[in-house]
Amino acid sequence: MKLLLTISYVGTRFHGFQSQPGLRTVQGSFQEAAERLFSKKLLITGCSRTDARVHANNFCLTAETADGSPLPAIPPEKLPLAIAPLLPPDIALLSAKRVDDSFHARYDVEYKEYVYIILNRPVRDPFLADRAYHFPVKLDAFLMDCAAKKFIGRHDFSAFMAQGSKVVSTVRTIKSFDVVRDGETVRITVSADGFLYNMVRILAGTLVAVSEGRIEISDIEKIIASGDRRLAGATLPPDGLYLNRVVYRQTPPEN
Amino acid sequence: MKLLLTISYVGTRFHGFQSQPGLRTVQGSFQEAAERLFSKKLLITGCSRTDARVHANNFCLTAETADGSPLPAIPPEKLPLAIAPLLPPDIALLSAKRVDDSFHARYDVEYKEYVYIILNRPVRDPFLADRAYHFPVKLDAFLMDCAAKKFIGRHDFSAFMAQGSKVVSTVRTIKSFDVVRDGETVRITVSADGFLYNMVRILAGTLVAVSEGRIEISDIEKIIASGDRRLAGATLPPDGLYLNRVVYRQTPPEN
């Protein structure tokens, strides 16, 4: 029996999700709290790696005992309140349920949704420092949305991957890609069956380049086909990026 | 000639607005940036003191040269962008205009509006840590709003002032006082010609006590009349408090 846990975190003071020796990570901080709660060594598997400074509204992970012994019988719905005093203020456990041992937090993802927030006004907002990318020149959200639609579907996204990344396949399927303006904020929402390293931040940078007239919408197809990272837009900073939602292939059985 | 400046700041890492030797304050940080920009010693006057950890969406202050010499002729509308690189990330200058020497940032206030934000759900939200008061038990915002209306008008608010405060008069006029629920957030908005020390935090604590049935709406009039701090509610933490708006008696002349 495993637990499927949904957490939320402010990424600013973490070196990403995945444990790294000597660095403050979400996995490390969460694992420490959960091991204290359960008085057991745990094995934690995340749905994704997120980079340093990237946030999560809903990040999924599983927890199981490292030695295969049963977890203490705390009802899952009581876990969010039980673990709260043990977690640092920048992580919260939102919900928990039991899942079958066959369930895998990463391999069973059907799609993930990321949001990229741009504060689009001349003056910055101290409440959004580290929580949005500040772009002072007016963006054309409608044009960006039109450009976003060109990415939808199954493509080789090598042109939108940080150089030097090693992956078996660079083919991904973008399911939806929307840009909307809400007052002084431009909100980019993209969902896909998987993302390459820095892919959302490069896609967001490409949409900004479209708004600025440095990339034409009619060139997007060619840029995708080229596989040439240099033709896509800049990699925007991590501060505006949120893992917003993870959808699994099947509703994990609650047992 | 003075400048009237509107700033916004996240109060978490400041020991309040007012300069204090050896402590990080909003006034201290802002003054340092402005003096670098103008290459002049400045005299800064704020509309209010705010406590440690209290935030401001719109805080007004005036700046003038300490020696009475003219300020460098930077057009006021250029100041927000000019000073931005010199300010720390938790302060932003939103707007600036010239006002007459007779204008006073504190004495000319007609009323100030504070907002107190309560995150009202069982589990906390890491994005609101230090930015809202987390109250896990469901609050009755309608009842709190009814209670809030009892405070409107000119009263002696001694019962709603931190003990040991020294002020000439404890009479203040509350102009409006509203409580609304927005999903998992309860937002308390109060405006008055002035506030006593900790007054908004004690008023908010009193409304929470009403929701919990520890104070009856019918007792509020008596509590105000008693002048007894012990009969009012608890002082809620500073993290949920925002100075939201300052309205001056007359629109300061733009000269």
Side-chain angles (χ1 to χ4, degrees), chain B residues 108-170:
Chain B
D108 286 338
V109 169
E110 183 180 337
Y111 64 91
K112 281 181 285 193
E113 180 182 275
Y114 278 92
V115 168
Y116 196 91
I117 305 284
I118 303 175
L119 173 66
N120 187 34
R121 68 180 199 186
V123 179
R124 60 191 168 67
D125 178 348
F127 292 96
L128 294 181
D130 304 325
R131 298 193 182 182
Y133 168 53
H134 177 220
F135 191 81
V137 180
K138 183 81 176 243
L139 290 168
D140 185 338
F142 177 73
L143 196 69
M144 291 166 75
D145 188 58
C146 293
K149 301 305 186 244
K150 299 284 176 188
F151 291 95
I152 293 176
R154 185 176 157 86
H155 303 287
D156 182 331
F157 284 103
S158 333
F160 301 87
M161 175 176 75
Q163 282 168 312
S165 320
K166 281 176 199 151
V167 279
V168 177
S169 163
T170 49

Side-chain angles (χ1 to χ4, degrees), chain B residues 16-214:
Chain B
F17 176 77
Q18 196 156 50
S19 286
Q20 295 179 67
L23 294 178
R24 186 175 190 261
T25 63
V26 177
Q27 182 178 358
S29 297
F30 185 82
Q31 186 154 355
E32 195 183 315
E35 291 183 345
R36 279 182 63 192
L37 181 69
F38 289 124
S39 304
K40 293 248 185 194
K41 284 282 160 198
L42 297 176
L43 195 69
I44 300 284
T45 309
C47 62
S48 164
R49 299 176 182 197
T50 59
D51 286 343
R53 309 181 68 81
V54 172
H55 314 292
N57 297 129
N58 294 283
F59 183 102
C60 293
L61 53 91
T62 55
E64 60 202 302
T65 56
D67 61 4
S69 63
L71 282 163
I74 305 175
E77 65 277 13
K78 306 224 161 168
L79 287 174
L81 293 184
I83 203 172
L86 304 172
L87 286 172
D90 41 3
I91 306 181
L93 174 60
L94 303 180
S95 65
K97 59 179 169 178
R98 293 192 187 95
V99 289
D100 199 82
D101 277 336
S102 64
F103 180 81
H104 195 283
R106 191 162 70 248
Y107 304 146
D108 286 338
V109 169
E110 183 180 337
Y111 64 91
K112 281 181 285 193
E113 180 182 275
Y114 278 92
V115 168
Y116 196 91
I117 305 284
I118 303 175
L119 173 66
N120 187 34
R121 68 180 199 186
V123 179
R124 60 191 168 67
D125 178 348
F127 292 96
L128 294 181
D130 304 325
R131 298 193 182 182
Y133 168 53
H134 177 220
F135 191 81
V137 180
K138 183 81 176 243
L139 290 168
D140 185 338
F142 177 73
L143 196 69
M144 291 166 75
D145 188 58
C146 293
K149 301 305 186 244
K150 299 284 176 188
F151 291 95
I152 293 176
R154 185 176 157 86
H155 303 287
D156 182 331
F157 284 103
S158 333
F160 301 87
M161 175 176 75
Q163 282 168 312
S165 320
K166 281 176 199 151
V167 279
V168 177
S169 163
T170 49
V171 174
R172 295 291 184 275
T173 301
I174 292 186
K175 189 182 147 76
S176 66
F177 200 172
D178 302 294
V179 182
V180 292
R181 173 177 289 281
D182 178 13
E184 294 172 328
T185 296
V186 171
R187 187 183 173 94
I188 299 171
T189 309
V190 56
S191 68
D193 57 353
F195 292 91
L196 303 169
Y197 189 54
N198 283 176
M199 181 168 153
V200 182
R201 293 160 57 187
I202 298 169
L203 288 169
T206 303
L207 297 184
V208 167
V210 167
S211 176
E212 290 194 296
R214 290 184 285 106

Side-chain angles (χ1 to χ4, degrees), chain A residues 18-33:
Chain A
Q18 195 155 52
S19 286
Q20 294 180 67
L23 294 179
R24 187 174 189 262
T25 64
V26 178
Q27 182 178 357
S29 297
F30 186 82
Q31 186 153 357
E32 195 184 313

